[in-house]
């Protein structure tokens, strides 16, 4: 019998440029999802990058909540891919269910942000991101866009805007809308504190830590004095202003696929005393890929 045909991909022909639209570059949009928010899906549909060049990948935990989210997600997928307008349809969609660990208990915002819950949570999240990445990254992928399931509002040109900077790793600033009782009006505040520049204090703290200990950002009992991108935002600042970063969050993050292909992943263990997305930034850097952030380019996180 004849041998099956061999698929050849010349990675040199897969371009990764500042103008992905003109070069028809493939985007892999990855979302770890514990809960389904309709606004997340509606925002996805509004992305102006040609949907026929976007592959969606999801990973959901095998919990009651994860099951409910999977059902909701599948309902919306069926609507968009089968009965919706052709221009809304994505190239392909992959859904994974987590098959490791006892799944984490569902936690509300306050509970999951408690410092003693962070190491286990972040390690589980890192594994979820790695599973999702390693099962979906293909030979034709140019860019990977990480977008959390609770990021419910982004500019519609998000992909083009981020890619235009031609950075290996680039993070917009993740904010949260809330009702401000003092102003008696809607307001917004910084949400994601994982985008930061390192400080001498944090470096010193890390030196005194045990090999498995991790540094966490945004906790009073662990003052790192890192420069947080969340606080670099200026109301009148240029949207295209960039700053170099040492740590990144995963709420919204555009990564050149070559950075992941080189081996940069999300360490589910202490890597230079960093874990998950912050560990990823460090690993990218060690591979020679400098992460950047956009302090004045905002995306919005759901408010529980
Ligand atoms: P936070 O915003 O930093 O508090 O983190 P989240 O709890 O929102 O988690 C980040 C992303 O991972 C969101 O998209 C969640 O829906 C998703 N997520 C949270 N926990 C799990 C989990 O156990 N498994 C998977 N697959 N996704 C999760
Ligand atoms: Mn979140």
């Amino acid at each position: 019998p004849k041998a099956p045909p061999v698929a050849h991909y010349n990675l040199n022909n897969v371009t990764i440029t500042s103008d992905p639209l003109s070069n028809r570059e493939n985007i892999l949009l990855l979302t770890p999802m514990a809960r389904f928010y309709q606004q997340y899906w509606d925002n996805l549909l509004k992305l102006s990058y040609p949907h026929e060049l976007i592959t969606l990948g999801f990973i959901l935990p095998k919990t009651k909540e994860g099951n409910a989210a999977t059902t909701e997600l599948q309902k919306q997928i069926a609507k968009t891919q089968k009965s919706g307008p052709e221009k809304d349809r994505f190239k392909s969609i992959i859904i994974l269910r987590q098959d490791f660990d006892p799944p984490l208990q569902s936690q509300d915002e306050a509970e999951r942000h408690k410092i003693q819950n962070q190491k286990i949570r972040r390690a589980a999240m890192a594994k979820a991101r790695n599973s999702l990445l390693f099962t979906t990254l293909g030979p034709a992928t140019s860019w990977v866009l990480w977008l959390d399931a609770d990021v419910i509002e982004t500019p519609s040109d998000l992909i083009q805007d981020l890619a235009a900077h031609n950075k290996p790793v680039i993070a917009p600033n993740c904010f949260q809308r809330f009702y401000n009782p003092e102003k008696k009006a809607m307001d917004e505040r910084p949400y994601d504190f994982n985008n930061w520049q390192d400080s001498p204090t944090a470096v010193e703290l890390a030196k005194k830590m045990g090999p498995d200990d991790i540094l966490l950002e945004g906790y009073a009992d662990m003052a790192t004095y890192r420069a947080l991108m969340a606080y670099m935002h200026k109301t009148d600042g240029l949207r295209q202003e960039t700053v170099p970063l040492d740590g990144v969050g995963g709420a919204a993050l555009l990564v050149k696929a070559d950075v992941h292909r080189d081996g940069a992943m999300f360490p589910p263990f202490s890597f230079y005393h960093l874990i998950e997305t912050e560990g990823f930034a460090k690993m990218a850097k060690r591979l020679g890929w400098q992460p950047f952030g956009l302090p004045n380019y905002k995306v919005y996180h759901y408010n529980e």
Side-chain angles (χ1 to χ4, degrees):
K2 269 202 353 218
V6 176
H8 286 273
Y9 290 90
N10 188 343
L11 285 178
N12 291 330
N13 295 339
V14 179
T15 63
I16 307 178
T17 67
S18 58
D19 188 5
L21 210 158
S22 300
N23 296 311
R24 306 230 2 119
E25 292 170 10
N26 287 295
I27 313 292
L28 177 62
L29 194 160
L30 298 180
T31 300
M33 179 180 279
R35 295 177 189 175
F36 178 84
Y37 294 110
Q38 188 59 43
Q39 296 112 296
Y40 159 87
W41 189 258
D42 295 343
N43 184 67
L44 270 200
L45 291 186
K46 281 189 240 150
L47 290 180
S48 62
Y49 198 81
H51 290 195
E52 81 246 22
L53 295 173
I54 303 178
T55 292
L56 305 180
F58 299 92
I59 187 163
L60 300 96
K62 270 196 181 155
T63 54
K64 203 171 154 216
E65 199 179 37
N67 294 343
T70 307
T71 306
E72 280 304 303
L73 175 63
Q74 277 170 322
K75 228 188 270 170
Q76 293 306 318
I77 289 175
K79 213 162 118 191
T80 302
Q81 299 297 96
K82 295 198 183 103
S83 48
E86 202 137 333
K87 67 154 186 46
D88 281 357
R89 298 181 196 169
F90 296 97
K91 183 190 175 99
S92 58
I93 303 180
I94 300 152
I95 300 180
L96 306 176
R97 300 301 302 275
Q98 246 162 265
D99 62 355
F100 51 85
D101 330 300
L104 287 178
Q105 287 302 306
S106 163
Q107 293 171 334
D108 64 19
E109 195 175 304
E111 191 60 27
R112 63 178 197 264
H113 288 176
K114 282 185 186 157
I115 201 161
Q116 66 273 24
N117 289 333
Q118 277 291 305
K119 197 172 166 184
I120 296 170
R121 261 193 54 77
R122 298 289 301 273
M125 281 309 307
K127 287 191 194 172
R129 291 188 193 279
N130 289 335
S131 298
L132 182 55
L133 175 64
F134 291 127
T135 45
T136 57
L137 186 73
T141 311
S142 292
W143 299 88
V144 178
L145 176 64
W146 291 93
L147 194 64
D148 277 356
D150 45 18
V151 171
I152 51 169
E153 188 186 331
T154 70
S156 61
D157 294 336
L158 179 72
I159 293 170
Q160 298 92 312
D161 290 347
L162 297 184
H165 292 276
N166 202 18
K167 301 293 190 197
V169 177
I170 194 158
N173 216 348
C174 184
F175 273 56
Q176 184 178 52
R177 296 190 192 279
F178 73 107
Y179 179 76
N180 187 335
E182 276 157 40
K183 293 186 186 169
K184 290 201 171 62
M186 285 308 287
D187 200 351
E188 53 181 54
R189 59 190 168 208
Y191 182 84
D192 193 344
F193 298 120
N194 294 336
N195 296 306
W196 44 257
Q197 297 171 335
D198 221 342
S199 69
T201 309
V203 173
E204 283 310 309
L205 274 175
K207 276 188 194 154
K208 293 185 203 113
M209 287 184 143
D212 291 333
D213 294 340
I214 54 165
L215 283 162
L216 293 166
E217 196 46 66
Y219 295 90
D221 352 359
M222 201 190 268
T224 62
Y225 301 98
R226 288 166 175 158
L228 307 184
M229 182 167 80
Y231 299 131
M232 293 177 195
H233 167 260
K234 291 186 226 81
T235 329
D236 55 354
L238 284 179
R239 224 170 61 138
Q240 59 269 37
E241 184 192 329
T242 57
V243 295
L245 294 175
D246 299 301
V248 300
L253 189 69
L254 186 72
V255 181
K256 288 189 177 182
D258 281 353
V259 176
H260 286 312
R261 283 193 191 101
D262 276 0
M265 45 69 130
F266 302 92
F269 46 79
S270 164
F271 178 73
Y272 289 80
H273 303 289
L274 301 171
I275 198 165
E276 206 216 351
T277 56
E278 295 162 292
F280 163 74
K282 184 72 179 181
M283 211 178 283
K285 240 185 128 145
R286 290 289 285 115
L287 288 161
W289 302 105
Q290 173 66 52
F292 283 86
L294 298 166
N296 303 318
Y297 191 100
K298 284 183 285 186
V299 301
Y300 292 91
H301 190 277
Y302 186 80
N303 187 354
E304 288 173 34

